[in-house]
Amino acid sequence: LAGLVTSVMFLIVCLSWGTTWLGIKIAVESVPPLTSAGLRFLIAFPLFLCFAMVRREPILFPRESRWFFVFVTLSYFSVPYYLLNYGEMHVSSGLTALLFSCMPVFILIFSAILLREKIQGRQMLGIAVGFASLFMIIRSLSCYMITIKPLYV
């Protein structure tokens, strides 16, 4: 039963995260990118607020680290999601998903620089597996998109 629950939860995550890019693509065809990104967070905020209240988690951040959370809000959520929504007006949702999959690398780099967190071997292994998987996906797709003509001398 535990395996079934895990499989169902994995399927839900794949469907919700996998369809995000298509949803953004559809949204930016009808509303401006800033509105699209803003609506996403406007809808998510009450849900996360209720979740935090049910778990009795603190809503406000500690006063001494609020500057850091403002920085994270702007640099990790606000600006990237606006640019992501803007970008999806010009590229496919599949390409956007592939490009956004590089986010863990930047999180790891910035965590090491700004938070002085130590990079662990399993983190590097996870990123290596992720990039190897992306490489295989792009390589298999490129076989269909690029035809190489032999040079006859």
Side-chain angles (χ1 to χ4, degrees), residues 46-59:
L47 298 174
F48 281 113
L49 185 62
C50 289
F51 183 71
M53 292 172 76
V54 166
R55 292 181 45 123
R56 297 192 173 138
E57 297 285 338
I59 304 297

Side-chain angles (χ1 to χ4, degrees), residues 26-105:
I26 292 168
V28 296
E29 290 176 357
S30 57
V31 296
L34 186 60
T35 305
S36 174
L39 285 174
R40 176 184 178 137
F41 292 112
L42 190 64
I43 292 168
F45 174 71
L47 298 174
F48 281 113
L49 185 62
C50 289
F51 183 71
M53 292 172 76
V54 166
R55 292 181 45 123
R56 297 192 173 138
E57 297 285 338
I59 304 297
L60 296 176
F61 298 110
R63 187 174 300 276
E64 63 274 359
S65 58
R66 285 190 184 157
W67 68 269
F68 177 72
F69 287 104
V70 168
F71 170 75
V72 169
T73 299
L74 292 174
S75 64
Y76 184 71
F77 293 108
S78 301
V79 173
Y81 277 96
Y82 167 70
L83 294 174
L84 179 100
N85 281 265
Y86 182 79
E88 278 217 37
M89 293 173 55
H90 305 285
V91 298
S92 71
S93 59
L95 179 58
T96 304
L98 285 175
L99 293 172
F100 202 77
S101 65
C102 297
M103 182 65 85
V105 174

Side-chain angles (χ1 to χ4, degrees), residues 1-14:
L1 185 63
L4 178 64
V5 170
T6 302
S7 297
V8 169
M9 296 300 282
F10 180 72
L11 181 64
I12 290 170
V13 167
C14 289

